[in-house]
Amino acid sequence: MIGFVLRRLGFAAITLAAVLTLVFFVVRVLPGDPTLVILGDQASTQAITLLRERLGLDQPVWMQYLTFIGGVAGGNLGTSLVSGRPVLQEVLNVLPHTLQLTALALIMGVALGLPAGVWAAANRNRIPDYVTRVVSLLGLSAPAFVSGIVLLLVFAIMLRWFPVISGGRGATLLDRGRDIFLPALNLALIMAAYVTRVTRSSMLEVLSQDYVRTAMAKGASNTAVIWRHALRNCLIPVVTVVGLYLGILIGNSVLTEIVFNRPGLGRLIVGALNQRDYAMLQGLMVIYTLIVVLVNLATDLVYGLIDPRVQYR
């Protein structure tokens, strides 16, 4: 297992280096000059030249790239071109908000999708199955910003159950829960749709196995067969889709934070794009890539915990 982890970490390092290289060059082909964004269109040529020297933008691209890679290797993501503060500090100030939102949405999505998928498989080609499939299809079809606006209109504006602006800084635990519940539900509904469909397909395959039919022939109840025997053996595909979708979930959290006006990485990304803050964009991509790589590694390790027959290779 140690060898497997080391190999996965090696592949993760290669993936991270490739993404960093891609991000570095992509952000530099974006239109606009960050010095003009900072100083304004009326800035003098001398002021623009001095600022470019101070920010290191006057250096050759290859030298900027080596400086960037060296800084990342040393744990330094650079300094924001706009605020002048360390990128890592800016990210760490808002990262807990995004992680809380993503973690709650993950829990809610699995809690909704897993039982729904099992229920649909146990009632194959009956009304519960049809209803579950239609609802999950609707969840897959609605973009995060569309479902977020609908939830705001219904539960925040019409029913007034939740605040319109989810600031994430409520005075009490109940206030913070009300702030985060609606954005988390918005993400969870989309994830639950994926989990439901994968769970249903995997459960149907497991229920057709010989050992399941043998257990039923021996008199085991449907509930015992499904929840004690079949469920564990259908979890590998579910864990896979949860691990893969977690990266999408973090991406959707950006849109959700913007719709619900929550603090988080979404605001930083939008601000960095508007202000052509190369350093901030690079740092955010580093954080996103690192999270996705670690999630994929954790997903591979969970396989062995669910099914001991899985070999770490």
Side-chain angles (χ1 to χ4, degrees):
M1 181 175 178
I2 295 178
F4 169 80
V5 173
L6 292 177
R7 286 194 298 272
R8 292 292 298 167
L9 288 175
F11 286 125
I14 296 173
T15 302
L16 185 60
V19 172
L20 291 180
T21 302
L22 180 63
V23 168
F24 177 85
F25 288 103
V26 166
V27 296
R28 277 161 176 74
V29 301
L30 292 175
D33 189 340
T35 56
L36 292 179
V37 175
I38 297 173
L39 298 176
D41 296 334
Q42 305 301 320
S44 64
T45 304
Q46 181 181 5
I48 293 176
T49 302
L50 291 175
L51 182 59
R52 289 182 63 85
E53 292 178 358
R54 183 170 65 86
L55 298 177
L57 298 178
D58 61 324
Q59 299 177 353
V61 175
W62 65 268
M63 188 174 295
Q64 296 181 43
Y65 173 73
L66 293 179
T67 302
F68 168 64
I69 293 296
V72 172
N76 179 16
L77 299 182
T79 303
S80 171
L81 302 182
V82 177
S83 67
R85 291 189 290 269
V87 171
L88 186 60
Q89 177 184 339
E90 297 259 8
V91 171
L92 292 180
N93 286 338
V94 298
L95 184 60
H97 295 285
T98 298
L99 293 181
Q100 289 173 9
L101 176 62
T102 304
L104 182 57
L106 178 67
I107 295 172
M108 293 172 64
V110 174
L112 292 172
L114 192 63
V118 173
W119 186 51
N123 295 275
R124 183 181 184 182
N125 295 331
R126 286 185 278 184
I127 292 179
D129 185 23
Y130 295 137
V131 172
T132 303
R133 288 159 64 183
V134 170
V135 172
S136 63
L137 183 60
L138 292 175
L140 293 175
S141 304
F145 68 91
V146 173
S147 58
I149 293 174
V150 172
L151 290 176
L152 274 177
L153 289 175
V154 175
F155 295 102
I157 296 178
M158 296 175 60
L159 299 178
R160 300 182 182 274
W161 290 354
F162 300 97
V164 177
I165 298 178
S166 304
R169 297 184 175 89
T172 65
L173 183 60
L174 180 60
D175 291 337
R176 290 193 292 270
R178 293 179 70 246
D179 282 347
I180 198 175
F181 180 80
L182 212 55
L185 179 62
N186 182 48
L187 293 176
L189 291 176
I190 303 174
M191 182 172 188
Y194 281 95
V195 174
T196 298
R197 298 183 75 86
V198 173
T199 302
R200 177 186 178 276
S201 300
S202 180
M203 180 63 73
L204 288 176
E205 181 179 353
V206 171
L207 291 177
S208 65
Q209 299 297 317
D210 292 338
Y211 73 90
V212 174
R213 289 195 291 265
T214 301
M216 290 182 175
K218 289 183 176 181
S221 64
N222 289 336
T223 302
V225 169
I226 290 174
W227 294 102
R228 293 181 56 187
H229 301 288
L231 180 60
R232 182 170 182 176
N233 292 306
C234 80
L235 284 181
I236 292 291
V238 177
V239 171
T240 301
V241 76
V242 169
L244 293 176
Y245 187 75
L246 188 55
I248 303 175
L249 193 66
I250 296 175
N252 284 337
S253 69
V254 174
L255 296 174
T256 300
E257 288 169 352
I258 295 172
V259 171
F260 289 90
N261 197 26
R262 281 186 56 83
L265 296 180
R267 286 186 183 178
L268 285 185
I269 290 179
V270 174
L273 286 171
N274 291 334
Q275 298 169 332
R276 305 299 186 268
D277 194 341
Y278 297 151
M280 181 62 70
L281 283 174
Q282 292 167 172
L284 289 169
M285 292 304 103
V286 171
I287 298 299
Y288 271 112
T289 304
L290 184 61
I291 292 175
V292 171
V293 167
L294 292 178
V295 167
N296 289 335
L297 176 61
T299 301
D300 290 339
L301 296 179
V302 169
Y303 289 160
L305 298 178
I306 295 176
D307 190 349
R309 296 171 298 179
V310 175
Q311 298 293 322
Y312 292 115
R313 295 173 182 168

